Amino acid sequence: MRRGIAATALVAALALAATACGGEDKGDGGTDAGGELSGTVTWWDTANDAEKASFQKIAEAFTAKHPKVTVKYVNVPYGDAQNKVKNAFSSGSDAPDVIRADVGWVADFASLGYLDEVPADMAKKVDSEFLPQAAASGKYEGKTYAVPQVIDTLGLFYNKKMLADAGVQPPKTLAELKTAAEAIKAKTGKAALYLRGDDSYWFLPLIYGEGGDLVDAKNKTVTVDNEAGVKAFKTARDLVASGAAITNATDGYANMQTAFKTGEAAMMINGPWAVADTYAGDQFKDKANLGIAAVPAGSAKAGAPQGGHDLGVYAGSKNRAAAHAFVEYMTSQEVQVQSAKELSLLPTRTAAYEQPDVKSSEMVAFFKPAVDKAVERAWIPENGSLFEPLKVEYTKAITGASSPEDAAKAAGIEFRKILKGWK
Amino acid sequence: MAADTSQSVVKAADDGVGNDSAVRGRSRWTDSGNTGNTRNTRNAGGLRRALATHWYAWAMVAPVVLVLGVIIGWPLVRGVYLSLTDANERNVARDIGARHIDATYEFIGLDNYTAVLGDPVFLQRLVWTVVWTVACVSITFVLGLTLANMLNRQFRGRAAYRMALILPWAVPGFVSVFAWRFLFNRDNGILNKVLDGGGIAAVPWLDDPTWAKFSVIAVNVWLGIPFMMVALLGGLQSIPGELYEAAEMDGASAWQRFRHITMPGLRTVSMTVILLSTIWTFNMFPVIFLLTRGGPGDSTEILVTQAFREAFITSPRDFAVSATWGVLILLLLMIFALVYRRSLRKQGEVW
């Protein structure tokens, strides 16, 4: 490690060069003589700690349907997953057969040739039976490369008791939030909102709220540094500077969950994946204390990003047939209903919402309309790359290290470096 | 390396430390007759004779040279070559299962270098990298020397103290860095809980650019002290006690003994450890990457973490630009080592 990353980069380059030799057609294994599926399907899952046990159980139950297929479940922490997957895919050895990819990664992986196209019959189903905005996230240049497993968006989580103690309603706009913050501070001495300052995904509701977006993919234009963008950076700074929100520049997710679960902050912005973990907190022993509302609107509107996870099959997998069958199983209606019931995750199949278990879930009842309104992101290969430079500028702006104008300008410069040739 | 240098310290010390010219006059090259000879007879005939006489030695060395050539030389050459191309994740050769994709990147000369050097980011990173290196090495050296001096005397429980002080070295780097990360956490970290108990407001250890810089330096110093201390302790123990006794007889004060016996006696060891720890610190990836990820914002980003960012965080991964950063880092370190060596040679110290 001491020799540093320069050497690592060189070795990585060397490894790439080395793997360029060899590799022969091993045929499309995965079925035996009788046409029955067989072999091993390795699945890399990025679910969080509260979710992974449930997913492992579901995944391994695949064997009940296809006794000759062994499912190897591997949990890869979400934060490292994109890099790990790329390393595995590009070297070819020990690559998983199926990956759970953030919706923002699909176009990237597909553009690099790493993902196998979804078989035609399944692709047709994705078009007709899935929520259209979820289906869109699995496509690249008109072809389907991944099947949506779950869909999500951000919402405003609130502690019902704390808001009641302060005598305020869940805020619908950021202006209302600031007024409520004064009441909450006065009555309970706690902060109103925990706003993550170390991850630019949490910046999206702010920029959508001002009527802006990161990029305009149709016109190949970077829009993060336009008027709405600058306003969004100003809003972020203002929320923290005015004391309405607390934030951190590191370990934001853990700190946010702790602050909300222990009642240090009355509200937070988070997604359905956090529900199971939040219920484990002291404040939410009575599950009814957790309330969820739409993210507060900015000066233009309320908007939260569409997120979620898709399942894709590695183009170099030796068991492609079994892998595609596994994906179909993991995105089947019964599996989606089960994860909605156990983990409050939102199904991507339209018909799943008609199932009683899904209908009765309070979280789904809230998040479904939110997802319907969620802002679809630009599904371009560079999608994931934009978040890193944006994070740097967002953190600088929210902590006051740099002015909102400078932050917006710098983000625009970095974006144009990544999106070569864009305005 | 420590053993080597401490030996020459002993020799130097034997010649009478305090007499600077004796220390300076010593050099390993002139000490060892062999090396001197080979050097003087380096002409065609001499080379053949040397090969003939020492063929066995050459044969023994060959595997090492070969292995080094393969694991260091080849990637190095490859890296330099990549930095002159536009190689990225999209155009390098790769195999996806049975499908082989050929490389399509092209030679573009020095374009990457002009782009990197022309970007103000490079200068910003370089300035902070230098500040970080100088601060870490000097603080580590001073503290390491102090601790080594304190441990270089008889007292009860000396072994226990030594163990405790070497501990940071024994713990894997990433474990200690994560431990520190928990300690530094502003809202839930132990450090702030302790400060809070003392009525002091929470310190934004990793959330404020200045405090974050302070924090990464503190952690690196903590990690670096054991090496410094052990190396210097070795040096100290090779200084003969008689020198101190004689100095004391002559009425030298503690400071005078330190200044005129300890410091010259430690010279060779310190020069080596300073060079080593400068190179390590310059390229100390894990401390910064794991503690702050270069943040808040980009305030603690050093050259190597930036190179990592170029190669592994943006997509498509830009191997060429990352290799360019790597080559620039290597060049900087080589220039530093040359200047350092030259300045030592000027003082009469020859490596």
Side-chain angles (χ1 to χ4, degrees):
Chain A
M1 208 55 166
R2 284 212 162 113
R3 205 161 273 284
I5 204 59
T8 316
L10 300 185
V11 171
L14 176 74
L16 276 168
T19 51
C21 0
E24 70 216 63
D25 197 344
K26 298 217 176 66
D28 195 6
T31 46
D32 65 6
E36 201 182 338
L37 294 173
S38 64
T40 305
V41 173
T42 305
W43 179 39
W44 282 13
D45 175 35
T46 55
N48 65 32
D49 286 344
E51 301 166 341
K52 65 185 182 191
S54 175
F55 275 130
Q56 178 162 13
K57 214 175 66 207
I58 294 174
E60 282 165 359
F62 182 65
T63 318
K65 292 191 173 163
H66 298 280
K68 287 193 178 164
V69 179
T70 322
V71 173
K72 216 175 120 196
Y73 174 90
V74 182
N75 187 272
V76 182
Y78 174 79
D80 315 330
Q82 194 177 9
N83 254 325
K84 273 200 173 154
V85 168
K86 280 192 159 194
N87 289 344
F89 279 178
S90 61
S91 77
S93 56
D94 297 322
D97 302 295
V98 178
I99 49 144
R100 184 191 201 228
D102 183 283
V103 285
W105 305 343
V106 175
D108 185 24
F109 293 164
S111 74
L112 291 166
Y114 292 151
L115 293 182
D116 200 28
E117 229 183 288
V118 173
D121 56 329
M122 185 65 202
K124 240 183 244 159
K125 279 189 206 159
V126 171
D127 285 337
S128 59
E129 295 172 14
F130 286 66
L131 300 172
Q133 69 270 43
S137 71
K139 292 189 181 188
Y140 175 67
E141 290 186 340
K143 291 177 182 163
T144 306
Y145 287 94
V147 183
Q149 182 201 17
V150 295
I151 187 167
D152 59 45
T153 189
L154 294 173
L156 182 75
F157 286 50
Y158 61 92
N159 186 325
K160 284 184 186 162
K161 187 173 173 295
M162 282 177 80
L163 292 201
D165 287 349
V168 293
Q169 291 297 312
K172 290 202 172 55
T173 65
L174 291 172
E176 279 179 41
L177 175 83
K178 282 175 73 175
T179 325
E182 280 162 26
I184 292 170
K185 193 97 197 166
K187 292 276 164 52
T188 65
K190 307 292 185 188
L193 176 72
Y194 189 105
L195 180 63
R196 273 192 84 178
D198 65 332
D199 189 327
S200 41
Y201 194 67
W202 272 254
F203 174 69
L204 295 178
L206 300 179
I207 192 167
Y208 295 154
E210 302 301 330
D213 200 342
L214 300 184
V215 293
D216 174 358
K218 230 179 243 162
N219 300 313
K220 298 209 162 189
T221 309
V222 171
T223 51
V224 69
D225 52 357
N226 66 16
E227 206 183 321
V230 174
K231 258 178 153 177
F233 280 108
K234 266 192 194 141
T235 313
R237 176 68 195 139
D238 178 54
L239 281 173
V240 172
S242 68
I246 50 173
T247 190
N248 287 88
T250 44
D251 284 330
Y253 195 81
N255 284 328
M256 172 165 75
Q257 283 297 107
T258 310
F260 188 65
K261 276 150 76 178
T262 58
E264 282 300 313
M267 293 175 261
M268 69 169 175
I269 291 174
N270 215 333
W273 62 83
V275 172
D277 180 48
T278 305
Y279 279 148
D282 283 351
Q283 293 280 320
F284 304 98
K285 276 190 182 129
D286 173 16
K287 287 183 179 180
N289 193 31
L290 175 63
I292 297 186
V295 292
S299 62
K301 58 167 187 171
Q306 181 202 326
H309 296 273
D310 296 352
L311 296 181
V313 172
Y314 176 43
S317 162
K318 285 181 196 137
N319 283 317
R320 289 213 292 273
H324 282 298
F326 177 73
V327 168
E328 190 162 1
Y329 161 77
M330 286 303 292
T331 54
S332 66
Q333 178 156 315
E334 51 173 312
V335 167
Q336 295 202 353
V337 169
Q338 193 178 344
S339 42
K341 192 178 151 196
E342 287 176 11
L343 307 167
S344 312
L345 295 176
L346 269 68
T348 50
R349 281 180 185 262
T350 323
Y353 289 93
E354 303 304 320
Q355 296 299 309
D357 275 340
V358 178
K359 266 189 168 167
S360 65
S361 162
E362 205 188 320
M363 295 300 136
V364 173
F366 164 74
F367 271 110
K368 178 61 174 52
V371 160
D372 288 343
K373 277 191 295 182
V375 182
E376 229 180 288
R377 284 142 65 193
W379 306 121
I380 50 174
E382 294 83 0
N383 201 324
S385 305
L386 299 179
F387 284 97
E388 195 56 33
L390 180 61
K391 180 189 101 177
V392 170
E393 300 310 325
Y394 174 53
T395 306
K396 279 186 183 171
I398 201 168
T399 55
S402 144
S403 73
E405 290 80 7
D406 288 348
K409 206 175 131 198
I413 292 173
E414 289 301 320
F415 277 22
R416 286 185 186 87
K417 275 192 211 165
I418 294 168
L419 300 161
K420 293 194 177 86
W422 285 42
K423 271 178 278 175
Chain B
M1 186 165 288
D4 238 12
T5 41
S6 60
Q7 231 176 26
S8 59
V9 172
V10 178
K11 277 187 212 138
D14 276 347
D15 287 334
V17 182
N19 178 354
D20 266 8
S21 70
V23 183
R24 284 177 184 166
R26 287 274 155 201
S27 84
R28 240 179 287 153
W29 292 117
T30 48
D31 266 358
S32 53
N34 263 347
T35 337
N37 278 342
T38 334
R39 266 199 168 177
N40 294 337
T41 56
R42 190 168 286 168
N43 49 48
L47 189 66
R48 202 174 308 135
R49 210 173 315 131
L51 272 174
T53 347
H54 301 295
W55 68 268
Y56 188 71
W58 287 111
M60 297 301 279
V61 167
V64 177
V65 173
L66 203 73
V67 169
L68 284 182
V70 170
I71 63 171
I72 297 177
W74 167 241
L76 191 66
V77 170
R78 175 99 189 136
V80 173
Y81 170 70
L82 277 182
S83 72
L84 301 172
T85 67
D86 60 354
N88 64 35
E89 203 173 15
R90 254 178 236 297
N91 59 22
V92 293
R94 56 195 188 276
D95 277 299
I96 295 166
R99 200 152 59 96
H100 176 74
I101 301 171
D102 278 323
T104 51
Y105 57 85
E106 283 165 5
F107 188 83
I108 55 164
L110 293 174
D111 288 7
N112 288 326
Y113 290 90
T114 45
V116 170
L117 294 174
D119 194 332
V121 170
F122 182 79
L123 195 65
Q124 285 169 25
R125 300 290 178 269
L126 180 62
V127 169
W128 161 238
T129 309
V130 170
V131 171
W132 141 266
T133 309
V134 170
C136 286
V137 174
S138 51
I139 298 171
T140 315
F141 182 77
V142 171
L143 291 179
L145 184 61
T146 316
L147 287 171
N149 266 305
M150 285 162 69
L151 283 180
N152 191 31
R153 56 185 76 183
Q154 291 299 333
F155 58 90
R156 202 194 286 251
R158 185 161 81 149
Y161 281 107
R162 271 192 202 181
M163 282 297 291
L165 285 165
I166 292 174
L167 202 67
W169 205 4
V171 180
F174 74 95
V175 174
S176 5
V177 176
F178 277 128
W180 277 98
R181 199 175 156 140
F182 285 123
L183 298 180
F184 279 139
N185 192 308
R186 190 181 63 191
D187 300 331
N188 310 304
I190 297 177
L191 283 179
N192 278 343
K193 292 253 157 77
V194 171
L195 288 180
D196 194 36
I200 299 166
V203 176
W205 297 107
L206 301 177
D207 292 343
D208 171 82
T210 316
W211 278 110
K213 286 177 175 165
F214 171 86
S215 305
V216 286
I217 292 176
V219 171
N220 194 43
V221 165
W222 188 80
L223 283 172
I225 280 183
F227 168 75
M228 206 57 105
M229 188 190 74
V230 169
L232 293 174
L233 192 57
L236 283 178
Q237 288 179 346
S238 68
I239 302 175
E242 297 87 51
L243 290 174
Y244 291 101
E245 278 171 29
E248 226 163 325
M249 298 280 281
D250 290 344
S253 67
W255 171 247
Q256 281 171 324
R257 278 178 310 211
F258 178 76
R259 173 81 189 74
H260 295 290
I261 301 175
T262 312
M263 284 313 280
L266 278 181
R267 189 179 198 136
T268 337
V269 183
S270 12
M271 289 303 147
T272 311
V273 290
I274 286 175
L275 179 69
L276 280 181
S277 79
T278 304
I279 293 172
W280 286 342
T281 311
F282 197 87
N283 281 341
M284 184 51 85
F285 179 78
V287 170
I288 293 199
F289 186 74
L290 299 177
L291 202 62
T292 64
R293 296 240 159 188
D298 52 4
S299 54
T300 55
E301 198 92 67
I302 58 172
L303 291 168
V304 279
T305 55
Q306 179 73 30
F308 178 82
R309 197 180 274 257
E310 300 291 339
F312 295 107
I313 292 178
T314 55
S315 181
R317 295 173 174 188
D318 201 333
F319 301 127
V321 171
S322 181
T324 309
W325 281 83
V327 171
L328 287 171
I329 292 167
L330 186 67
L331 283 177
L332 283 168
L333 283 175
M334 274 162 60
I335 293 170
F336 166 76
L338 282 176
V339 170
Y340 188 78
R341 224 185 104 174
R342 180 155 300 173
S343 74
L344 286 191
R345 197 183 287 158
K346 244 183 222 153
Q347 292 176 31
E349 200 86 37
V350 181
W351 281 17

